[in-house]
Amino acid sequence: MDLINDDHMKMYFYESRLLTFAGWPFEEDCVCTPENMAKAGFVHTPSDNSPDIAQCFFCLKELEGWEPEDDPEKEHKLHSPNCNFITLKKSVESLTVEEILRLQKERQKFVIKKTCNQAIAAFEESVKLKRGQIIQTAMDEE
């Protein structure tokens, strides 16, 4: 595996994150400019209904409903205080290979947790639908 060319590895770098903010609704006279969003670890992940969704590339926390005065770094720390990226004490460029690999291990924990939570939510929704079908079948037989 070529770690440097993996898309998620590119997101460790500010310039790569900044490129995702095309069409970001807050450009000037705001605290949550694309530059500040990218510095705080966010990438722009808009949807048709929500043009201001941003997700931390590292902890995968998604935030939307941004206001011009929202400080991206403060919001990131508030909503995801355990994100290892936002708590880094030095620049990505000065990290050692060992530190990058340690960070990647921590990032994988966030990925696994999110994937498991999505699977659990899908399973619970499926169970809810099946339960409704069973109840409906039982009522129809009465």
Side-chain angles (χ1 to χ4, degrees):
M1 172 168 69
D2 187 359
L3 290 177
I4 299 304
N5 288 329
D6 284 346
D7 286 342
H8 72 270
M9 287 301 291
K10 292 177 186 174
M11 291 303 139
Y12 273 96
F13 300 98
Y14 166 80
E15 294 80 12
S16 296
R17 294 190 304 274
L18 185 59
L19 289 174
T20 69
F21 281 91
W24 180 248
F26 303 100
E27 292 287 335
E28 297 174 11
D29 299 325
C30 299
V31 179
C32 59
T33 62
E35 293 79 12
N36 288 338
M37 296 295 289
K39 284 178 191 170
F42 289 109
V43 294
H44 188 204
T45 56
S47 69
D48 290 339
N49 297 333
S50 298
D52 70 337
I53 298 175
Q55 180 182 49
C56 173
F57 84 96
F58 190 89
C59 70
L60 308 178
K61 181 67 173 180
E62 284 186 342
L63 298 177
E64 62 181 310
W66 290 89
E67 300 291 334
E69 65 278 356
D70 288 340
D71 181 318
E73 188 173 335
K74 286 180 183 174
E75 292 296 322
H76 194 169
K77 287 178 181 176
L78 176 69
H79 293 280
S80 190
N82 296 322
C83 177
N84 301 76
F85 182 79
I86 197 67
T87 59
L88 273 178
K89 302 292 186 230
K90 57 184 179 176
S91 72
V92 170
E93 292 78 14
S94 65
L95 293 172
T96 65
V97 171
E98 182 180 347
E99 289 168 325
I100 289 275
L101 292 174
R102 202 174 303 130
L103 273 175
Q104 274 301 96
K105 180 178 118 185
E106 293 304 314
R107 182 179 182 278
Q108 280 306 117
K109 290 178 185 178
F110 285 109
V111 170
I112 291 167
K113 183 177 180 181
K114 182 172 184 163
T115 303
C116 288
N117 287 340
Q118 289 172 335
I120 289 168
F123 177 75
E124 288 173 344
E125 185 61 28
S126 176
V127 167
K128 183 178 168 184
L129 290 172
K130 185 54 88 175
R131 181 178 288 127
Q133 291 170 347
I134 292 169
I135 292 170
Q136 187 62 45
T137 301
M139 292 175 70
D140 289 346
E141 292 178 358
E142 288 181 359

